[in-house]
Amino acid sequence: MLKLIGGILVAGSGVGLAVSMIGEIRQHLQRLYEIRQLLLNISGEEALALLPMEHILDKPGLTKDAALQKVCREIAESLAAKKEGSGSEIWREAFWKNQKELGLHAAELEITANAGTAFFGRNIKENEKMLSFYLERLDFVIGQERKEQREKQKVAGTVSVIGGMMLVILLI
């Protein structure tokens, strides 16, 4: 009886691990979409509202993602406090500082961290070109991630469930 209960628990944990891993993969792709939307929202607010960047980044409705809201708030506070360094350097430091919380890969983080140059350039035309460049790079990364997402989900699900079943067999 105890072996049966233990086997059920181990098999259930294998399925739970598979569901958790698939959720993390899906959440990662969703975060990339949120970053893309954040960049577009900032650009739109910058063009329409003509407010200083610290006011734009401090708006609560800029993004739905809590981690991105935190990063934007940190950047806004640093800009408002007139810390040393340019706005793009402050942007970059904030994203690198919160790397773990954002859960981005190195290439994705590099694109996002450098995207701040699109908001702190010399003129509007230069900013638009830079934003277009970084959005294009981010779209490429999102496309690659979408292609890999299904395969990763299948592998994660299969390995977790089969690993759980193998452990059950070993315990019996």
Side-chain angles (χ1 to χ4, degrees):
M1 184 67 176
L2 287 176
K3 284 185 178 183
L4 177 67
I5 293 172
I8 291 171
L9 288 174
V10 169
S13 66
V15 171
L17 179 63
V19 169
S20 173
M21 290 174 76
I22 289 170
E24 287 176 12
I25 294 168
R26 188 176 296 126
Q27 184 182 17
H28 179 77
L29 186 62
Q30 183 63 34
R31 172 131 321 130
L32 291 175
Y33 280 118
E34 279 294 322
I35 289 171
R36 186 182 192 291
Q37 189 60 46
L38 173 69
L39 296 175
L40 290 172
N41 288 347
I42 292 171
S43 175
E45 286 289 325
E46 185 179 42
L48 295 175
L50 298 174
L51 292 170
M53 190 55 69
E54 54 265 21
H55 294 297
I56 293 172
L57 291 172
D58 207 21
K59 286 189 175 184
L62 207 53
T63 181
K64 294 180 267 181
D65 191 288
L68 287 174
Q69 283 178 348
K70 179 185 174 217
V71 172
C72 288
R73 204 171 308 113
E74 282 181 24
I75 296 168
E77 289 170 0
S78 295
L79 289 171
K82 306 279 190 229
K83 288 192 173 180
E84 289 187 30
S86 67
S88 59
E89 290 172 353
I90 292 171
W91 176 284
R92 183 176 179 75
E93 287 174 19
F95 274 97
W96 279 103
K97 179 179 159 190
N98 293 293
Q99 175 183 8
K100 199 173 223 174
E101 200 172 311
L102 291 170
L104 299 176
H105 302 302
E108 300 160 350
L109 186 64
E110 188 67 32
I111 293 169
T112 307
N114 289 333
T117 59
F119 305 116
F120 301 101
R122 294 185 183 128
N123 59 46
I124 294 172
K125 291 287 186 193
E126 181 183 319
N127 288 354
E128 289 173 358
K129 286 180 185 177
M130 292 300 290
L131 180 63
S132 172
F133 172 72
Y134 286 114
L135 286 176
E136 189 175 306
R137 287 182 63 195
L138 193 57
D139 286 341
F140 177 76
V141 168
I142 289 172
Q144 291 292 94
E145 189 67 29
R146 283 188 65 176
K147 286 178 186 175
E148 295 173 2
Q149 180 185 18
R150 287 191 185 116
E151 188 175 319
K152 285 179 182 178
Q153 288 176 337
K154 285 179 186 176
V155 169
T158 304
V159 168
S160 298
V161 172
I162 290 177
M165 293 301 175
M166 289 178 71
L167 190 56
V168 169
I169 292 171
L170 287 174
L171 291 175
I172 292 179

